[in-house]
């Protein structure tokens, strides 16, 4: 039995870090949004217990170093499935190490897809809780939509959807290491925080312009100088008419929100000449499984 599942990229409309936790992680407050840009995850159940992975990116590991393989193993272990394996075929489109949740979303799609193919109906937030064992962004990626993420990023609350808009995502050639950037962060020294409550209020008022204007990511404040290209891309998106621009997660991808398809297309055409990883996409609601 096989099927293809979408692993949608995630964006941080806002990202705040409130403090360091006793477990070494940080306490987060983020407004998360899924978008139509996605990887494709094909799952083909096997009559043995092997878990195999191949992808269109040759350098991605096909063993347990890959979070999608760990997701499959966790799913089979958790639900006591001892007579089934899976071939995972990843078609990667979301750039890796970009702050777009590509790997997390692949893992989430494996959890969702295996539930679908094996006929297991997880109760409530069971898949999200399973996802939290794999990584902080995996729970959000299970169903996506527009949500507030608290705690490590794994405590989720539904928000009003981001109003209809177009989004241009652009990643500079370099990547930024998430653990390294967290290490540079000293919450006491942050000069500015997003007003998350106001952003949530503007979402419920369907006020795209005010959401876009208030997007903010505290990591931008501490970006080492060698990552100056992030600001260059932000300026270019704003010059092209973006309502607001911000870096996603720990970067290095940046995105801008646009009111119309035409405006977004102009920005996309302008930037894709300079950047290989440039995408025109749109927000998506949460995925419901039967
Ligand atoms: O949870 P995940 O494995 O995706 O996190 C990657 C790294 O990011 C962690 O090892 C940690 O250094 C940092 N992190 C953090 N606080 C969070 C989430 C991630 O410090 N809430």
């Amino acid at each position: 039995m096989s099927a293809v599942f979408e692993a949608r990229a995630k964006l941080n409309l806002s990202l705040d870090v409130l403090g360091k936790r006793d477990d070494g992680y940080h306490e987060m407050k983020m407004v998360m949004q899924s978008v139509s840009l996605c990887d494709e995850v094909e799952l083909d159940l096997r009559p043995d217990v092997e878990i195999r992975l191949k992808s269109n990116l040759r350098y991605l590991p096909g063993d347990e170093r890959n979070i999608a393989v760990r997701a499959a193993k966790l799913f089979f272990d958790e639900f006591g499935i001892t007579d089934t394996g899976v071939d995972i075929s990843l078609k990667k489109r979301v750039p890796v190490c970009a702050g777009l949740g590509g790997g997390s979303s692949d893992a989430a799609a494996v959890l969702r897809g295996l539930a679908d193919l094996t006929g297991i109906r997880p109760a409530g937030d069971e898949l999200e809780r399973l996802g939290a064992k794999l990584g902080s962004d995996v729970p959000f990626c299970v169903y996506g939509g527009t949500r507030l993420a608290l705690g490590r990023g794994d405590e989720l609350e539904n928000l009003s959807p981001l109003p209809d808009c177009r989004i241009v995502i652009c990643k500079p050639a370099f990547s930024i290491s998430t653990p390294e950037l967290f290490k540079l962060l000293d919450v006491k020294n942050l000069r500015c925080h997003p007003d998350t409550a106001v952003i949530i209020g503007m979402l419920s008022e369907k006020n795209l312009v005010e959401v876009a204007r208030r997007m903010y990511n505290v990591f931008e404040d501490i970006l080492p100088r060698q990552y100056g290209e992030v600001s260059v891309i932000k300026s270019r998106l704003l010059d092209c008419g973006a309502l607001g621009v911000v870096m996603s997660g720990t970067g290095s991808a940046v995105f801008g929100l646009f009111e119309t398809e035409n405006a977004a297309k102009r920005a996309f055409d302008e930037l894709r000449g300079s950047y290989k990883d440039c995408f025109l996409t749109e927000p998506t609601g949460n995925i419901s499984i039967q």
Side-chain angles (χ1 to χ4, degrees):
M1 238 201 309
S2 77
V4 178
F5 300 89
E6 282 187 354
R8 293 173 181 168
K10 66 90 187 156
L11 300 175
N12 294 89
L13 300 181
S14 71
L15 189 156
D16 201 2
V17 184
L18 307 180
K20 187 116 191 244
R21 297 157 46 120
D22 293 339
D23 61 6
Y25 282 83
H26 289 79
E27 197 66 23
M28 312 296 289
K29 194 178 204 180
M30 310 183 277
V31 177
M32 316 271 278
Q33 176 65 52
S34 58
V35 293
S36 57
L37 169 68
C38 64
D39 294 340
E40 275 177 24
V41 180
E42 185 176 353
L43 301 178
D44 194 356
L45 294 185
R46 302 169 55 101
D48 56 24
V49 294
E50 294 281 316
I51 298 171
R52 294 196 180 153
L53 181 141
K54 62 179 169 46
S55 91
N56 58 328
L57 298 183
R58 280 177 200 284
Y59 59 83
L60 286 189
D63 55 23
E64 287 204 25
R65 285 170 296 166
N66 194 309
I67 191 171
V69 171
R70 294 201 296 280
K73 182 166 185 328
L74 182 67
F75 184 91
F76 291 137
D77 286 350
E78 189 73 17
F79 292 103
I81 298 172
T82 53
D83 57 355
T84 306
V86 66
D87 284 317
I88 304 169
S89 177
L90 288 185
K91 190 195 239 179
K92 297 289 294 181
R93 283 193 289 250
V94 181
V96 299
C97 289
L100 299 172
S104 302
S105 197
D106 294 343
V110 167
L111 297 179
R112 214 177 341 101
L114 286 179
D116 188 65
L117 290 178
T118 57
I120 284 174
R121 293 289 162 259
D125 61 358
E126 206 174 358
L127 281 192
E128 293 170 341
R129 280 192 287 109
L130 212 52
K133 295 184 183 176
L134 296 162
S136 305
D137 283 342
V138 180
F140 170 77
C141 292
V142 173
Y143 303 117
T146 310
R147 300 180 90 183
L148 177 66
L150 302 169
R152 257 174 65 207
D154 57 341
E155 294 167 25
L156 300 169
E157 293 174 18
N158 289 335
L159 298 176
S160 304
L162 181 65
D164 185 33
C165 64
R166 295 294 178 269
I167 302 171
V168 176
I169 302 174
C170 185
K171 179 188 172 289
F174 57 82
S175 294
I176 302 174
S177 151
T178 296
E180 291 307 313
L181 204 57
F182 267 106
K183 263 191 227 148
L184 293 180
L185 187 110
D186 185 346
V187 174
K188 292 191 302 298
N189 294 338
L190 288 173
R191 289 175 296 182
C192 199
H193 293 268
D195 195 334
T196 312
V198 172
I199 295 174
I200 292 171
M202 291 301 141
L203 283 169
S204 54
E205 287 179 21
K206 306 186 191 324
N207 190 334
L208 177 67
V209 172
E210 285 301 319
V211 171
R213 275 188 46 200
R214 289 163 192 280
M215 297 192 300
Y216 186 70
N217 179 342
V218 294
F219 283 117
E220 285 186 41
D221 201 21
I222 59 149
L223 270 192
R225 205 174 286 178
Q226 76 254 35
Y227 302 133
E229 190 87 21
V230 165
S231 311
V232 173
I233 298 175
K234 285 179 67 178
S235 300
R236 286 184 69 178
L237 285 167
L238 284 172
D239 288 346
C240 290
L243 299 173
V245 292
V246 72
M247 185 174 82
S248 188
T250 51
S252 58
V254 171
F255 66 93
L257 301 190
F258 292 82
E259 214 150 16
T260 65
E261 172 86 23
N262 277 346
K265 182 79 173 58
R266 275 197 300 276
F268 172 66
D269 287 339
E270 152 82 15
L271 280 149
R272 73 172 160 173
S274 318
Y275 300 98
K276 174 176 73 66
D277 288 323
C278 195
F279 307 90
L280 174 52
T281 185
E282 58 194 310
T284 55
N286 62 314
I287 298 170
S288 55
I289 57 170
Q290 279 57 303

